[in-house]
Amino acid sequence: MPPAFIGRTGLLRELERAALEGFGLSLVGERRMGKTSLLCTWAGRAAELGYTVRLLSGQGPERLGHREFTAAVIAGPAVDAGAGSGLAAAEQCALPESPDGAADRLADWCRGTRAASGGRRPILLLDEADTFLVRCERDFLVRLRGLLTERELSLAVATGRTLPALYAEQGRTSPFANALQLRRVALLDEASARGLIARGADRWQDDDPDWLLDWAGTQAFYLSLLARGLYDARGDGEPRERVLDHFRDEAVNQQFAPWWAALDDGARTALRRAAAGESVDGAEWRERGLLTQDNRPFARVLTQWLNETH
C-alpha cells in the first residue's frame, strides 16, 4: 500500500491519462491481485497533482444505491492533497430520491468542482464495485456514463469480472456500453517482484529471494505475505519451514477455498491440467493472473494445492 507501493507503472500511466483526457477505466482482477493498492496509490498521487478525488468502496454505504453513492461523492470521502491516501469522514447531505434528481446533483457537483479547480476534472474511483453496479438503478448509471462521455469527470471502477460478464449473470447488458476501457490487474512483472523482495535484503540469506519467488511467484499479495513472514522469522531466529506452513494455511484456508468454489467445472479441469504440466489454452487464466505466460500456475503454492487436493 502507499507509500510502499511498487510496480504497475503502466496502469498508473493509464489512470493519469484518463484524468487528463476525461475517460473511464474498468480495472478487472482476481481477489487479492492488488486493485485496492493501485487505486489508493493513484488517489494519493492525483490529489498531490491538484485533482479532486473521491475514493469509494463497494463495501461501504455507497454500495446501497444512487443516493448513497452521490452523497459519498459530494460530501466525501475525499483524498486531500498532501495527505497520501487518507480519507476524510463522509458527511450526510440531503438528496433527491429519484435517480435523475441525484444524477442532476452529481452533474452540478462535477461542473462546479471542475470550474473551481482550474478545469481539472474530478476523479471518481470505485473499488470492489461489483455489488454497487449490480444493485444501482440503471437510469442513474446511464446518467453517470453520460457525464463520462461528456468528459465532466474521470471514472475508474475495479471489479472481479468484466462488466459484460457481471451483468450477463443478471440477464442484463452493461449500462456503460463501451464507455469504460478494460484494463487487467494481474501478476507483477519479475523486476517489480524482485524490487519488492529487495526491501528485506538486510535479513535475507543467499537463496531467500529465489525461494520466495518459487513459492509465491509474482502475485503481489502472496509475495508480500510470504516475504513479511520470512522477514519476521529471520529476525526472530525461526526456521523457514514454519513460515511456509503458516503461509500455506493462509493461502489455502483464506484465499484458495472461496476462489475455487466460485469456478465452474471447465475452469477447474483446465487449472488441474496446468498444474500437472499438461498443455492447456491458458489465455483467460493468464489474463486473470492465475497462470504465468508459459501456462503454469503462478507459484508452487498453487501448483501443490491443485495437485495434492484437487
Side-chain angles (χ1 to χ4, degrees):
M1 296 291 282
F5 187 81
I6 191 167
R8 311 290 191 197
T9 53
L11 288 172
L12 287 168
R13 282 197 300 269
E14 284 289 289
L15 287 162
E16 183 172 4
R17 190 168 69 87
L20 288 169
E21 300 178 14
F23 64 86
L25 291 176
S26 169
L27 303 172
V28 180
E30 293 292 317
R31 293 177 68 250
R32 300 294 193 179
M33 196 59 71
K35 302 185 296 296
T36 298
S37 297
L38 174 66
L39 290 180
C40 286
T41 299
W42 168 234
R45 294 185 185 182
E48 291 173 356
L49 294 172
Y51 287 94
T52 298
V53 185
R54 296 297 188 256
L55 177 57
L56 310 172
S57 172
Q59 294 186 337
E62 52 265 39
R63 77 186 188 282
L64 299 176
H66 64 277
R67 293 187 75 249
E68 292 81 3
F69 177 87
T70 305
V73 170
I74 293 175
V79 180
D80 299 323
S85 60
L87 302 181
E91 301 173 358
Q92 295 296 320
C93 60
L95 288 167
E97 291 286 347
S98 72
D100 276 334
D104 288 340
R105 286 289 298 276
L106 181 60
D108 291 342
W109 177 85
C110 287
R111 294 176 183 122
T113 299
R114 188 175 181 187
S117 61
R120 293 185 182 88
R121 300 172 182 87
I123 297 172
L124 305 187
L125 307 174
L126 182 57
D127 191 21
E128 300 187 65
D130 307 62
T131 299
F132 168 75
L133 294 175
V134 167
R135 71 185 300 169
C136 186
E137 294 83 347
R138 185 180 181 87
D139 289 348
F140 179 81
L141 295 178
V142 169
R143 290 286 305 276
L144 182 61
R145 181 190 69 198
L147 290 172
L148 182 61
T149 56
E150 293 164 11
R151 300 184 184 276
E152 294 292 345
L153 55 80
S154 172
L155 173 68
V157 299
T159 57
R161 290 159 290 172
T162 65
L163 298 191
L166 185 66
Y167 282 102
E169 290 183 358
Q170 312 296 317
R172 300 150 58 190
T173 57
S174 170
F176 290 98
N178 296 320
L180 297 175
Q181 298 181 21
L182 174 64
R183 296 293 183 270
R184 298 280 183 176
V185 182
L187 299 175
L188 292 173
D189 61 87
E190 185 170 341
S192 296
R194 288 192 177 276
L196 190 154
I197 292 170
R199 290 176 174 166
D202 60 311
R203 291 187 182 176
W204 296 152
Q205 296 180 5
D206 288 346
D207 67 337
D208 282 344
D210 288 338
W211 182 83
L212 289 166
L213 285 174
D214 180 36
W215 277 103
T218 61
Q219 209 275 8
F221 170 77
Y222 294 106
L223 184 58
S224 298
L225 181 68
L226 184 58
R228 183 171 61 246
L230 182 59
Y231 188 85
D232 291 342
R234 290 289 184 227
D236 296 337
E238 294 184 356
R240 197 165 68 177
E241 290 70 22
R242 184 175 301 173
V243 177
L244 183 58
D245 289 341
H246 290 317
F247 170 68
R248 293 179 63 189
D249 283 344
E250 171 71 13
V252 171
N253 296 328
Q254 301 298 323
Q255 307 301 326
F256 290 170
W259 158 72
W260 186 258
L263 296 178
D264 60 32
D265 289 341
R268 293 176 179 179
T269 298
L271 290 170
R272 288 191 195 100
R273 290 178 58 198
E278 299 177 25
S279 176
V280 297
D281 180 3
E284 176 183 357
W285 309 108
R286 291 195 304 272
E287 288 181 342
R288 293 172 65 170
L290 299 174
L291 296 183
T292 60
Q293 289 303 308
D294 58 355
N295 290 335
R296 296 292 176 264
F298 67 81
R300 191 195 295 195
V301 66
L302 179 57
T303 298
Q304 192 173 82
W305 182 74
L306 288 167
N307 285 333
E308 292 180 356
T309 311
H310 296 82

